[in-house]
Amino acid sequence: MMYTEANSPPTPTFSPTNRVKKTFRSATSQQWFGFAILATLLIFSFLAPHFASVDGAEQDLGAILTPPNAEHWLGTDHFGRSMWVRLADAIALSFGLAALCILTASTAGIALGVLSAWFPTRFGKVVELLTTILLALPGLVLVLIFAAIVPGSFWMLYFAIALIQWVEYYRVVRAICQPLIHSPEMEASQLMGFGRWYCFKRHLLPAILPQVLTIAAFGAANAILMMASLGFVYVGIQPPLAELGLMTVELFPYYSDAPWLLAEPLVSLAAMVLGCQLLGRRNA
């Protein structure tokens, strides 16, 4: 059926913004609690440095392992650096990595998943072969290999983590889209003259968006844990940058003299992961 300018198809009513609003309205109490944890940590990471009079890399050898006080609210580390500022910098770094990995992996995974389901030709077979190869390799080992190529590079860590995370988006999106593309609703839209972009927004995106949001929440937690794990073995972010895993292993020898210092990065890391895990939970 052909449409003229006077008899054009109706404007689609669905929009990703409306879907996100509906997702927020249907959020559970656990999801809201996880969101509150992450929001609190994010606000702290942005505002905490503005309330400090020192820089996170500034050393004060006369104030080593200082307990929390009026000047240093979270104490100082073994170099006399403010834990208040360094903890905020480390949390901001973790949030930045998680956000970049989610954005890159989800975009690539959704695009390749939809294209593979819509055009199951050689393109789909090539992408499927690539995902099989990536799934055959342990994710953390692959990240370690890339981290060893350029030690201490934030961008190399981001690239390696995003490289292994897009596969999950791809497989889920492809599995959801395959039956929908051949559904009567999709065929009716195509017969009425609607383009592929409208069909994607009207039929595919509402089905894949809840799953993608769940994968993104758990993917953020995995990205944060991966960077911290690399910091534990000194192959991730290098000093003097503040990173939760690196801070934990640096402060571990002082756990008996200043146990609060070791607890601060561990609690922050656990809170970030817990917030992401709770945010990703949905009712069955």
Side-chain angles (χ1 to χ4, degrees):
M1 180 182 297
M2 300 299 294
Y3 288 91
T4 63
E5 185 176 355
N7 185 26
S8 58
T11 303
T13 58
F14 171 80
S15 70
T17 303
N18 293 336
R19 185 67 191 188
V20 171
K21 290 180 180 179
K22 183 178 179 180
T23 301
F24 271 101
R25 287 196 297 267
S26 62
T28 64
S29 57
Q30 288 184 339
Q31 288 176 315
W32 280 115
F33 183 56
F35 176 78
I37 293 175
L38 295 178
T40 302
L41 291 172
L42 186 62
I43 293 172
F44 167 76
S45 67
F46 277 103
L47 297 183
H50 298 287
F51 292 93
S53 58
V54 296
D55 184 78
E58 182 179 342
Q59 299 182 10
D60 184 3
L61 299 181
I64 295 176
L65 303 181
T66 302
N69 53 45
E71 182 180 1
H72 302 288
W73 293 351
L74 294 180
T76 60
D77 65 1
H78 54 299
F79 289 118
R81 297 173 297 189
S82 172
M83 286 294 293
W84 173 268
V85 180
R86 287 184 61 78
L87 203 61
D89 292 341
I91 293 174
L93 185 68
S94 297
F95 270 120
L97 178 74
L100 286 173
C101 290
I102 289 173
L103 181 62
T104 304
S106 62
T107 302
I110 292 173
L112 292 176
V114 173
L115 291 175
S116 297
W118 219 319
F119 307 103
T121 56
R122 292 183 178 179
F123 173 80
K125 294 180 180 179
V126 170
V127 177
E128 190 66 23
L129 176 61
L130 179 60
T131 59
T132 303
I133 295 174
L134 291 175
L135 288 173
L137 300 173
L140 187 57
V141 173
L142 191 61
V143 175
L144 281 170
I145 293 174
F146 279 92
I149 296 175
V150 185
S153 173
F154 171 85
W155 296 108
M156 183 58 73
L157 291 179
Y158 146 69
F159 173 78
I161 296 174
L163 179 65
I164 64 175
Q165 286 192 343
W166 72 268
V167 176
E168 189 172 3
Y169 293 93
Y170 162 78
R171 292 173 67 89
V172 171
V173 170
R174 183 172 180 266
I176 294 174
C177 290
Q178 278 181 331
L180 292 177
I181 288 174
H182 303 289
S183 64
E185 295 82 2
M186 177 75 81
E187 293 179 355
S189 295
Q190 292 175 339
L191 290 174
M192 292 177 65
F194 292 109
R196 287 195 174 96
W197 176 242
Y198 169 81
C199 293
F200 169 74
K201 292 191 300 179
R202 183 65 181 86
H203 301 288
L204 301 184
L205 190 57
I208 66 178
L209 191 58
Q211 304 297 332
V212 167
L213 292 177
T214 300
I215 297 173
F218 288 107
N222 290 334
I224 294 170
L225 281 176
M226 281 188 180
M227 184 167 68
S229 300
L230 296 178
F232 287 144
V233 293
Y234 285 105
V235 296
I237 301 298
Q238 299 298 308
L241 289 179
E243 191 273 317
L244 295 175
L246 181 62
M247 291 172 65
T248 301
V249 74
E250 284 182 335
L251 296 171
F252 184 77
Y254 309 98
Y255 72 93
S256 58
D257 298 326
W260 62 87
L261 292 181
L262 182 61
E264 289 169 5
L266 285 175
V267 171
S268 300
L269 179 62
M272 294 188 73
V273 174
L274 176 63
C276 293
Q277 297 282 351
L278 292 176
L279 191 61
R281 291 190 177 184
R282 297 189 300 117
N283 287 330

